[in-house]
Amino acid sequence: MDLDHGTMVAFSKSWGLFYLIAFSIGVLIYTFWPSNKRRFDQAKKDILDKEDKPWT
């Protein structure tokens, strides 16, 4: 197998695509995993807490 530039580009494009698809699936599984619901609900509430007001 000759490792010229074209071969390396084709290899990196195909495996890069598979890597990004697998990473996206992993992120979706982490996001919708039932045990993470409490953590995300807490983060949703904490983003705008009662002490968040202008610095006047």
Side-chain angles (χ1 to χ4, degrees):
M1 180 173 161
D2 188 23
L3 291 177
D4 60 345
H5 179 72
T7 305
M8 294 303 292
V9 169
F11 177 77
S12 64
K13 282 184 178 183
S14 62
W15 285 105
L17 176 66
F18 295 140
Y19 168 76
L20 289 176
I21 290 172
F23 185 74
S24 300
I25 291 170
V27 167
L28 285 174
I29 289 171
Y30 174 76
T31 302
F32 293 110
W33 200 259
S35 63
N36 290 332
K37 181 173 176 34
R38 186 173 50 94
R39 180 184 307 165
F40 290 138
D41 286 341
Q42 184 68 30
K44 180 176 67 173
K45 286 189 276 184
D46 285 347
I47 193 72
L48 295 174
D49 58 358
K50 294 177 182 167
E51 298 174 4
D52 190 21
K53 54 188 171 189
W55 293 354
T56 57

